[in-house]
Amino acid sequence: MRLVTSYGIGPDRVVWLDDLPIVQAVAAAKERSTALVVTAPTLVQGKVDAEKADWFRLKVAPGQTLVFEVIGRRLGSALDPQVTLFDLSGRELKKGHSNDAPGLQGDPRLIYRFAEAGEVLVQVRDTAWAGGGDFHYLLRIADCPVATCAMPLAVKRGSKTQVGFVGPRLDGVTTVEVEGTVN
């Protein structure tokens, strides 16, 4: 998106459209003990400060699978984000960490199935503990499909083709018909 005014044209900016309810991260949530309580599904809008992490507290059900995805680099943020899950004592959950997910331009995605009911802590921070005004992010927490690639990768101009998807979690994802056109 670009802003056009009588003074000129602004730089390109990526705008994220989502159907999840939005929660604003708060300054007090920079410590584990003051984590912001959130419920899934949600989209958290935040900013990482230097040498700080943002913390969120979330109730989970046994057998529940949630997708934790940080959108930072894809928004043009200076943040090199990582997301980590902890129990309330501060111990990292086994396989509860993601730094760079394939195809996400350096952003992390973590798909996690919780064995037990309880509360967990979610930490978002910069990998180098950097931060500031340009270190903004969105954190998606939802029970949602994760399609990582469309198949086939190309559609012949003038033909209609069924396009399917591949990925680690495709519950409810169906094929779509695409027509190759010329603009």
Side-chain angles (χ1 to χ4, degrees), residues 19-154:
D19 60 352
L20 297 180
I22 299 173
V23 173
Q24 189 70 38
V26 295
K30 299 293 182 188
E31 302 293 333
R32 203 170 58 213
S33 60
T34 58
L36 177 66
V37 176
V38 296
T39 57
T42 193
L43 180 72
V44 179
Q45 182 176 334
K47 178 183 69 69
V48 172
D49 293 330
E51 299 182 16
K52 296 283 184 178
D54 283 359
W55 290 90
F56 307 97
R57 190 172 179 150
L58 175 72
K59 283 186 182 180
V60 296
Q64 182 177 22
T65 300
L66 289 173
V67 178
F68 300 84
E69 184 172 336
V70 180
I71 301 99
R73 295 284 181 156
R74 291 172 284 166
L75 289 175
S77 175
L79 178 68
D80 183 7
Q82 68 178 35
V83 62
T84 309
L85 303 178
F86 296 86
D87 64 20
L88 293 184
S89 72
R91 187 177 23 221
E92 185 176 328
L93 299 183
K94 186 176 182 178
K95 297 185 180 181
H97 174 80
S98 179
N99 182 351
D100 296 335
L104 299 185
Q105 300 174 10
D107 287 342
R109 177 189 294 134
L110 174 64
I111 303 170
Y112 199 88
R113 184 178 185 279
F114 295 92
E116 301 173 2
E119 290 186 290
V120 295
L121 294 169
V122 182
Q123 180 198 63
V124 175
R125 71 173 182 89
D126 183 76
T127 58
W129 291 98
D134 289 337
F135 287 73
H136 54 277
Y137 68 89
L138 297 172
L139 167 64
R140 290 186 98 248
I141 304 173
D143 179 0
C144 60
V146 177
T148 55
C149 187
M151 296 299 283
L153 297 175

